[in-house]
Amino acid sequence: MSNTGPVLVAVVAGLIVVALVAAPIGWALAGRAVRPLRELTSTAESATADRLPEHGELGRYEEFAHLSATLAGLYTRLDAAYAAQRRFVADASHELRTPLTVHRTLIQVTLADPDADATSLRAVCEELLRIGDQQERLVAALLTLAQGQQGPVATQPVDLATLAVEAVTARGSAAAGLTIRTDLQRAVVACSDPTLLASLIGNLLDNAIRYNLDGGRVDVETRCHGTRAVLAISNTGPFVPEDAVDRILQPFQRLAGPRMHSGSSGLGLAIVRAIADSHGADLRVVPNPEGGLTITVGFAAA
């Protein structure tokens, strides 16, 4: 028993020495292990809209390979989103600036004409009103596009056939010279925001009427397909190349058409896609072999 005390003292002293030696080593190893995480954090904090980290800056950390890959994918998506936003702002600025320039030019030319009479002034005022109407439609379309891009929306049961009939009836004069055929299955009820759904149908019809041929046709169909409430609008018209489909779904993209005299903001199909995305709806745009498009939107059925 007399040797127990010194042995315990020696053991404790040995443990203290081991702890004193191991602590710096452990601290160094821990610091080395988390250094990539600190660098990833620092890289993320320095990211801006104009300068996002590239994959090479993140992919060298094998210890955090999954996190690096996840961040690299996030930055790639953000970069694409920022680029799209910059293009949209530039295009919207151009679209809004052009009619304002025309406005100013018309007024300046009229004021500079010493022989301007009531008839010419009336003609200028009518042209200014027409341009103002176009600007109002453009602003309304921009607001609808922004609303459609806000993400998931509150929904309620909405009958597709009812809204389709209302949209077709409202466009009677615009469809002059065309044949509109409807095949509307009743009780096709979609889970949707009624205002946005009406805008989607209206934009699809406007697109089908505007990009058509004189004497052409527009087909409007509603049907149930499994758990989806489906709206399909098809039209005759100019041939649409397969590789142009994605482009015409972008804002301010237009294709030439013989009925384009009424003008177009180039936002119609972009609004349709934004509203479809906000509802989690299936959107298919298929060029018809003989010309025109068939656009199908499938909503969750109520």
Side-chain angles (χ1 to χ4, degrees):
M1 296 295 292
S2 60
N3 294 330
T4 303
V7 171
L8 289 175
V9 172
V11 169
V12 172
L15 291 174
I16 292 174
V17 171
V18 170
L20 291 175
V21 173
I25 296 175
W27 183 261
L29 291 175
R32 181 177 179 181
V34 300
R35 185 184 306 129
L37 186 59
R38 288 200 299 267
E39 293 188 20
L40 284 173
T41 302
S42 176
T43 302
E45 290 175 343
S46 64
T48 65
D50 297 323
R51 201 279 178 191
L52 292 172
E54 298 179 356
H55 189 272
E57 299 177 65
L58 305 169
R60 63 178 182 269
Y61 305 117
E62 297 180 1
E63 303 91 333
F64 296 94
H66 180 67
L67 176 60
S68 298
T70 301
L71 287 174
L74 172 63
Y75 292 138
T76 300
R77 293 191 297 274
L78 284 175
D79 188 50
Y82 285 136
Q85 184 184 55
R86 287 191 290 269
R87 287 195 303 271
F88 177 81
V89 170
D91 290 340
S93 299
H94 173 74
E95 294 289 334
L96 291 169
R97 188 182 297 115
T98 299
L100 291 175
T101 301
V102 175
H103 247 123
R104 184 183 303 109
T105 302
L106 283 172
I107 294 173
Q108 290 173 339
V109 169
T110 303
L111 291 176
D113 182 4
D115 299 323
D117 56 13
T119 301
S120 60
L121 290 175
R122 179 180 293 276
V124 169
C125 289
E126 290 174 350
E127 180 65 12
L128 291 175
L129 284 175
R130 187 189 65 80
I131 296 173
D133 289 340
Q134 289 182 346
Q135 288 180 283
E136 288 182 10
R137 288 195 296 271
L138 175 59
V139 172
L142 288 170
L143 290 174
T144 302
L145 180 62
Q147 187 178 6
Q149 292 176 332
Q150 287 179 352
V153 295
T155 62
Q156 65 187 64
V158 182
D159 187 88
L160 279 177
T162 300
L163 289 184
V165 168
E166 293 174 355
V168 170
T169 302
R171 286 158 178 80
S173 59
L178 299 176
T179 299
I180 298 185
R181 304 190 308 191
T182 58
D183 181 11
L184 305 177
Q185 179 181 333
R186 297 292 175 174
V188 178
V189 182
C191 292
S192 172
D193 177 287
T195 302
L196 289 178
L197 181 55
S199 178
L200 178 143
I201 297 173
N203 277 284
L204 283 178
L205 272 175
D206 289 339
N207 186 79
I209 292 170
R210 185 175 290 120
Y211 295 96
N212 213 314
L213 305 171
D214 289 332
R217 189 184 71 252
V218 177
D219 294 320
V220 184
E221 179 187 2
T222 59
R223 64 179 184 271
C224 285
H225 182 74
T227 60
R228 312 299 280 180
V230 178
L231 168 74
I233 295 182
S234 179
N235 71 317
T236 54
F239 176 74
V240 179
E242 192 75 37
D243 58 4
V245 169
D246 185 66
R247 178 167 64 85
I248 61 178
L249 292 173
Q250 304 293 330
F252 305 112
Q253 298 299 314
R254 306 172 178 87
L255 294 179
R259 296 174 59 88
M260 283 298 294
H261 53 80
S262 58
S264 168
S265 67
L267 289 172
L269 292 186
I271 290 173
V272 168
R273 183 168 70 171
I275 294 174
D277 289 345
S278 70
H279 286 78
D282 308 316
L283 175 65
R284 294 182 68 246
V285 181
V286 179
N288 298 323
E290 66 280 5
L293 294 170
T294 295
I295 301 179
T296 306
V297 191
F299 295 88

